[in-house]
Amino acid sequence: MSEPRPDLEQLRLLVAIADHGSLGAASRSLEIAQPNASRALRRLERQLGLELVVRGPTGSRLTPQGAVVVHWAREVVEASARLVTGAKALASESTENLAIAASMTVAEHLVPRWLSDFRARQAHVRVNLSVCNSQQVFEGIDRDECDLGFVESPAVPRGLRWTVVGQDELLVVVAPGHPWTRRRRPLTAAELAATPLVVREPGSGTRVSLEHQLSAHSMVEPAVELGSNAAVKVMAASGSAPAVLSRLAVAQALESGELVAVPVDGMRLGRRLRGVWRGDLTRPAGDFLAAARAAAPR
């Protein structure tokens, strides 16, 4: 007899709780009644045999196990969305195609706006978006699997062309009760390098940028490696360990007080967002790059 498996709506709910910080906000975002959401969450926890969410007076907090599970759940939900988008693209009558690859930070926080602006002017172009880490973006372009890529890495491999489309900033973030929030002086780069951090997987632009900034110091092994900004953010907010993430990824959590930014002395935490490609840009790729430049943060 096969094991009962979570359905897609349960996984969407868990991801929404991580993104919105409470069961109520998550249920509203998915347009489902909160009692139904509560039952779906309890059913998911029973199926997995894990406590995923702890509810409190100010919202819902993922347990450490829940933070890991939500990372996997997000992959399933995103894969489902790609399936639907891909199926629609196959059915489209577009006469031009544009394949784009974007690192997760850019894809999550910037590409939706860029895509909306582009589609408003180029509705006949069929766009396929791949979401991966920066290293995988470079590999996809090198293999001619995509026309244009967007990354946050501090360097671009030889043979690829690039241009700066915008600016970003890395922030050291911790849970509100972390001892670093009570420091009188900024953290030093050496202290950061000596601290086990919650980090993205090797190859991600955020991870590469962090290692580049701390290249003068010997970094200790990470506390944990996770494959998405959301999972890293949740683990940091749980108090497990500090993290270094894009300002784009943590802006809402900083505003709500879920995370606190810690100043660091001796590090240049600004970074450039780049569009990358090989050879000559196709006309749709050039138009999309222009849309990205016009809307990217400066």
Side-chain angles (χ1 to χ4, degrees):
M1 184 175 179
S2 62
E3 292 285 337
R5 300 193 180 194
D7 61 43
L8 193 58
E9 294 309 312
Q10 289 174 314
L11 300 182
R12 282 198 181 105
L13 174 63
L14 184 62
V15 170
I17 292 171
D19 289 345
H20 295 280
S22 73
L23 181 63
S27 61
R28 287 192 296 273
S29 73
L30 297 175
E31 298 183 345
I32 58 177
Q34 187 165 337
N36 293 340
S38 296
R39 286 192 290 270
L41 177 60
R42 288 196 298 269
R43 188 163 62 251
L44 177 61
E45 290 180 321
R46 287 196 302 269
Q47 288 172 335
L48 299 180
L50 295 170
E51 183 183 28
L52 303 175
V53 176
V54 176
R55 299 184 200 175
T58 59
S60 301
R61 176 175 56 83
L62 291 177
T63 63
Q65 295 93 337
V68 176
V69 171
V70 81
H71 163 59
W72 294 328
R74 192 180 298 277
E75 291 180 342
V76 174
V77 170
E78 290 175 349
S80 172
R82 288 195 297 272
L83 184 152
V84 173
T85 300
K88 288 181 178 179
L90 289 174
S92 170
E93 296 181 355
S94 300
T95 57
E96 290 188 272
N97 298 286
L98 174 61
I100 295 172
S103 64
M104 292 185 184
T105 299
V106 177
E108 289 174 0
H109 302 283
L110 298 175
V111 169
R113 164 72 183 279
W114 298 350
L115 187 56
S116 176
D117 292 348
F118 176 77
R119 291 286 293 168
R121 298 191 300 271
Q122 305 281 353
H124 66 286
V125 178
R126 181 171 58 200
V127 180
N128 178 57
L129 172 65
S130 298
V131 181
C132 46
N133 66 37
S134 292
Q135 181 58 39
Q136 292 164 336
V137 172
F138 294 140
E139 291 169 357
I141 293 175
D142 199 49
R143 293 194 296 262
D144 290 327
E145 295 173 352
C146 53
D147 304 302
L148 180 63
F150 294 95
V151 299
E152 327 98 61
S153 296
V156 174
R158 285 187 177 183
L160 299 185
R161 304 176 69 179
W162 59 270
T163 186
V164 175
V165 298
Q167 303 292 326
D168 186 26
E169 180 185 15
L170 293 178
L171 297 177
V172 178
V173 292
V174 296
H178 193 279
W180 284 359
T181 64
R182 299 187 292 275
R183 291 177 62 100
R184 293 180 179 271
R185 296 181 179 178
L187 194 68
T188 67
E191 288 174 307
L192 185 63
T195 301
L197 304 171
V198 184
V199 296
R200 287 283 307 280
E201 79 286 0
S204 79
T206 298
R207 175 77 172 269
V208 172
S209 296
L210 172 63
E211 291 173 345
H212 177 74
Q213 292 292 340
L214 294 177
S215 59
H217 306 276
S218 179
M219 291 184 66
V220 300
E221 288 295 313
V224 62
E225 295 178 349
L226 296 170
S228 75
N229 291 330
V232 173
K233 181 174 64 175
V234 170
M235 286 294 286
S238 74
S240 299
V244 179
L245 285 170
S246 163
R247 179 180 289 278
L248 294 168
V250 298
Q252 187 175 358
L254 293 174
E255 185 177 347
S256 68
E258 180 185 4
L259 289 171
V260 177
V262 179
V264 183
D265 196 16
M267 286 180 65
R268 298 191 306 272
L269 294 175
R271 61 178 181 172
R272 296 183 288 184
L273 306 176
R274 308 173 198 252
V276 294
W277 66 95
R278 190 173 74 166
D280 294 327
L281 282 172
T282 64
R283 188 189 62 78
D287 290 344
F288 193 94
L289 185 62
R293 278 176 166 163
R298 300 291 174 183

